[in-house]
Amino acid sequence: MTLLPDPASARAARLACREGAPRPTAGMAPGFTQCNMISLPKDWAWDFLLYAQRNPKPCPVLDVTDPGSHRSALAPDADLRTDIPLYRIWRDGVLAEETPDATAAWAEHPDLVTFLIGCSFTFETPLQQAGIEMRHIAEGCNVPMFLTDRDCRPAGRLHGKMVVSMRPIPAGRVAEAAMISGRTPAVHGAPVHIGAPEALGIADLMRPDFGDPVQIRPGEVPVFWACGVTPQAALMASKPPFAITHAPGYMFITDVPDTHWQV
Amino acid sequence: MTLLPDPASARAARLACREGAPRPTAGMAPGFTQCNMISLPKDWAWDFLLYAQRNPKPCPVLDVTDPGSHRSALAPDADLRTDIPLYRIWRDGVLAEETPDATAAWAEHPDLVTFLIGCSFTFETPLQQAGIEMRHIAEGCNVPMFLTDRDCRPAGRLHGKMVVSMRPIPAGRVAEAAMISGRTPAVHGAPVHIGAPEALGIADLMRPDFGDPVQIRPGEVPVFWACGVTPQAALMASKPPFAITHAPGYMFITDVPDTHWQV
């Protein structure tokens, strides 16, 4: 293995996201930080940044753009309007459209402030290096995500429930998975819940609210991490007039190595 | 030792801060989180929250109040206007007054948003438990703090240099001090600089910009942590019309155990 991931692989992955058919980014450009995205009109930016500050496990903010900018310090040559494989356009809290190119939507509001939020994919690299299989990567699908019954702490006009991602982990490796992911608190950190899905209000692990179901084998425990799709749950609950987000699992690939976030 | 610090000790310390003669809070209510404070008119709140997001090592935000509120979730029975031993009132970036009671200043602006920011005192407890002496506590004075030549990442109208706190540590314990403090990234985390003060633009360790000088013994290395006085350097550089802060070293004592911030 090489000691540092090749920056060209992050750029190549972004180019594939920009130009290719939309596909989930799990496993793409391994070793590079992927991000959730939410763009809101400037009038809503304070409420959102405060919402993130009050809910740091689901909403760890890694970068905030200037109003109207589509550039991020996390990947200086990227264009936030085109380099995510699949975008969602939200109007009054309703998902209005999914599109691989958000340029037209971006042009509707000249003052959009964009938030890039850490993604659990960052700790999948050290989990895999520890020999812990990521089932959704093995099955070539999107990670399963669930809307829980846990309220986030509200901020201004924003409120909503927490979304979690789920990975089945062999019972003998769960503690290690908690410790490894706990070393990256800037990207969701340690699990918020281990086992007992019903205590999160999750009725059926085979029917995720976002992403795809994955097999859970005998001897495995469902492990739940706070998820960067939580802002989309806040959109649905709080109904701001306009927003652009990534589609769950279709992330923004940055130039920042995952290891940057380890404490 | 007991397993949990006594919540009554935090309340008693706050009462002493409210009613007693002003004194630095280092070593008070050990085991409870102390905070830096900055209150700004609502018009400046976005710039400041963004400044903090962009400079998380010196400005880790632990709570933000609603505009005009003097209550914090970190200590529900506290009054932010009176429970810090010594406040600073800033006008146009100039320190106008120090006072043990900020009630009158607070009344000048009905829309103040208050930010509570993590303080390095939080990791002093586990450092001391590891047998690493905190010289300023041993000498009964304020921790020495220095204005460095390192620019923070600007945000809107806010810019300024980073402030650091300094603790002399025996050379054989420095790595341990780095690792122990690194486990609490929400309260400044690991040191930003170890040894070589001249490389931070610090000319004389015996002449701190804030706080008091402490003895550095042979075989000890000056270790520098990002400091929550950094917002005050931003006030001086950026000159917002009005602000209230704590006086360096005179912190807000919360009800939250230090251990809450460990990853």
Side-chain angles (χ1 to χ4, degrees), chain A residues 57-125:
Chain A
K57 289 209 79 161
C59 306
V61 177
L62 304 188
D63 195 29
V64 184
T65 69
D66 292 322
S69 170
H70 45 83
R71 300 284 174 195
S72 165
L74 302 179
D77 74 353
D79 187 326
L80 289 167
R81 301 169 299 181
T82 57
D83 290 3
I84 285 177
L86 193 61
Y87 295 86
R88 292 181 149 189
I89 317 299
W90 301 78
R91 299 183 193 280
D92 299 317
V94 176
L95 174 57
E97 184 192 351
E98 288 197 330
T99 173
D101 184 341
T103 306
W106 220 283
E108 288 183 41
H109 286 264
D111 69 345
L112 289 179
V113 177
T114 300
F115 301 85
L116 293 170
I117 291 172
C119 168
S120 55
F121 292 169
T122 289
F123 56 68
E124 292 188 340
T125 302

Side-chain angles (χ1 to χ4, degrees), chain A residues 42 45-47 49-50 53-54 61-67 73 113 115-116 153 156 182-183 185 263, chain B residues 42 45-47 49-50 53-54 61-67 73 113 115-116 153 156 182-183 185 263:
Chain A
K42 174 78 172 73
W46 166 259
D47 283 4
L49 191 51
L50 194 57
Q53 192 279 326
R54 290 180 177 173
V61 177
L62 304 188
D63 195 29
V64 184
T65 69
D66 292 322
V113 177
F115 301 85
L116 293 170
R153 202 176 147 201
R183 283 173 209 143
V263 298
Chain B
K42 174 81 173 72
W46 166 258
D47 283 4
L49 191 52
L50 195 56
Q53 192 279 326
R54 290 180 177 173
V61 176
L62 304 188
D63 196 28
V64 183
T65 68
D66 291 322
V113 177
F115 301 86
L116 293 169
R153 201 176 149 203
R183 283 174 210 143
V263 297

Side-chain angles (χ1 to χ4, degrees), chain A residues 129-218:
Chain A
Q129 286 170 336
I132 299 174
E133 182 186 280
M134 296 291 97
R135 185 64 36 77
H136 59 286
I137 295 180
E139 296 186 356
C141 66
N142 203 341
V143 69
M145 292 163 271
F146 299 88
L147 188 62
T148 71
D149 61 7
R150 301 290 167 91
D151 284 317
C152 288
R153 202 176 147 201
R157 295 160 286 179
L158 288 174
H159 58 95
K161 307 288 187 188
M162 183 169 63
V163 176
V164 294
S165 63
M166 188 282 289
R167 291 161 186 78
I169 308 278
R173 311 296 307 273
V174 170
E176 214 176 334
M179 288 189 293
I180 290 171
S181 57
R183 283 173 209 143
T184 51
V187 287
H188 303 306
V192 290
H193 199 87
I194 294 172
E198 67 283 2
L200 283 177
I202 298 172
D204 185 350
L205 287 173
M206 290 300 124
R207 296 183 55 194
D209 297 291
F210 311 94
D212 302 309
V214 297
Q215 191 190 6
I216 303 177
R217 298 186 187 143

Side-chain angles (χ1 to χ4, degrees), chain B residues 31-32 35 37 41 45 50 75 79 81-82 102 105 115 123 136 140 152 163 167 173 190 194 203 217 245:
Chain B
F32 285 100
C35 289
M37 190 201 80
L50 195 56
D79 187 327
R81 302 170 298 182
T82 56
F115 301 86
F123 56 68
H136 59 286
C152 287
V163 175
R167 291 161 185 79
R173 310 296 307 272
I194 295 171
R217 297 182 188 147
T245 71

Side-chain angles (χ1 to χ4, degrees), chain B residues 21-263:
Chain B
R23 50 162 284 205
T25 53
M28 289 178 73
F32 285 100
T33 306
Q34 300 196 17
C35 289
N36 302 274
M37 190 201 80
I38 177 167
S39 297
L40 288 162
K42 174 81 173 72
D43 169 51
W44 284 74
W46 166 258
D47 283 4
F48 186 77
L49 191 52
L50 195 56
Y51 193 72
Q53 192 279 326
R54 290 180 177 173
N55 301 284
K57 288 209 79 161
C59 306
V61 176
L62 304 188
D63 196 28
V64 183
T65 68
D66 291 322
S69 170
H70 44 84
R71 299 284 175 196
S72 165
L74 302 179
D77 74 352
D79 187 327
L80 289 167
R81 302 170 298 182
T82 56
D83 290 3
I84 286 176
L86 193 61
Y87 295 87
R88 292 180 147 189
I89 316 299
W90 301 79
R91 299 183 193 279
D92 299 317
V94 176
L95 174 57
E97 183 192 352
E98 287 196 331
T99 172
D101 185 340
T103 305
W106 220 282
E108 288 184 40
H109 286 265
D111 68 346
L112 290 178
V113 177
T114 299
F115 301 86
L116 293 169
I117 292 173
C119 168
S120 55
F121 293 168
T122 288
F123 56 68
E124 291 187 340
T125 302
L127 288 173
Q128 291 174 294
Q129 286 170 334
I132 299 174
E133 181 186 283
M134 297 291 96
R135 185 63 37 76
H136 59 286
I137 295 180
E139 296 186 356
C141 66
N142 203 342
V143 68
M145 292 162 269
F146 299 88
L147 187 63
T148 71
D149 61 6
R150 300 290 167 88
D151 283 317
C152 287
R153 201 176 149 203
R157 294 160 288 180
L158 288 173
H159 57 95
K161 308 288 188 188
M162 183 170 64
V163 175
V164 293
S165 63
M166 188 282 288
R167 291 161 185 79
I169 309 279
R173 310 296 307 272
V174 170
E176 214 177 335
M179 288 188 293
I180 291 171
S181 57
R183 283 174 210 143
T184 51
V187 287
H188 304 306
V192 291
H193 199 87
I194 295 171
E198 67 283 2
L200 282 178
I202 298 172
D204 185 350
L205 287 174
M206 289 300 125
R207 297 184 54 194
D209 296 291
F210 311 94
D212 301 310
V214 297
Q215 190 189 9
I216 303 179
R217 297 182 188 147
E220 291 183 339
V221 174
V223 178
F224 302 94
W225 279 269
C227 177
V229 173
T230 300
Q232 299 188 32
L235 292 180
M236 290 184 256
S238 316
K239 306 188 191 309
F242 184 80
I244 306 173
T245 71
H246 70 294
Y250 299 74
M251 317 306 290
F252 179 64
I253 297 170
T254 77
D255 291 345
V256 181
D258 287 328
T259 50
H260 177 76
W261 311 105
Q262 282 178 11
V263 297

